[in-house]
Amino acid sequence: MKIFLDTANLESIRMYNDMGLLDGITTNPTLLSKEGGDPHKTMKEIVSIINGDVSLEVVATEYDVMLEEGRRLHKYGDNVVVKYPMTADGLKACKALTAEGIPVNVTLVFSPNQAILAAKAGAKYLSPFIGRLDDIGEDGLHLIREIKQILSNYNFGTQILVASVRHPVHVVEAAKIGADVVTLPPSVLGKMLKHPLTDIGLKNFLADWKKLKTENPNIRI
Ligand code: G3P
């Protein structure tokens, strides 16, 4: 399973990229707005840091302008994937841009029917938002299971990009289902890294080494 970071925060992107954990990035207008500054500068910077797909989202809602925005965003780098919302115009733009050789991520997917249509329109990725479904009392992971089964039944090349991930259990469950990608807020990736027994174990190792060093002041690793 590929791991993308769901952020426009350059510091987090650099930190996790330096650990070799990132296969890509997803951004959206909300994430860019959180960082402030010039969004174009930020998007270009992300595209240059990451050696993998970077989803950049359009803000137009009409086909012609969506297409123009998509083409402009793709000029930021060959690794740009244009993010279109799951609307009729978005699907039309997805088909057209894909035919031009520019990959598309169809976002804001909340049902198996929407997933079928995104795949039919030729999307490279479709992004179901599981946390937002959980928020309204539905089961986001159940949607991932359904989409996985549907895509496996046919010859769609579309990858499932699990979005709106809220905690590490979402990640494990998505991996068990066989989702292609999870896109994680930096906070969730940080939680995946930590375990209290790791911290206790390391503390004990260091304390024992310190004891040994008191007896043999010149030892070192
Ligand atoms: O890529 C955006 C998606 O992950 C949204 O997450 O937490 O705003 O529902 P959230």
Side-chain angles (χ1 to χ4, degrees), residues 6 26-28 31 83 107 129 131-132 135 163-166 183:
D6 195 26
T26 51
T27 66
N28 62 37
L31 295 170
K83 218 172 174 188
T107 187
F129 279 29
R132 293 192 194 182
D135 289 345
S164 186
V165 171
R166 297 280 160 77
T183 189

Side-chain angles (χ1 to χ4, degrees), residues 1-4 20-24 125 130 141 144 148 159-163 165 167-184 188-189 192:
M1 183 174 64
K2 284 179 272 187
I3 292 181
F4 290 2
L21 300 179
L22 300 185
D23 299 297
Y125 300 105
I130 62 170
L141 285 165
I144 302 304
K148 176 72 185 174
Q159 297 178 47
I160 304 172
L161 193 167
V162 180
V165 171
H167 48 71
V169 177
H170 271 157
V171 182
V172 173
E173 292 304 316
K176 280 154 68 180
I177 294 166
D180 303 284
V181 190
V182 283
T183 189
L184 309 178
V188 173
L189 192 43
M192 286 169 68

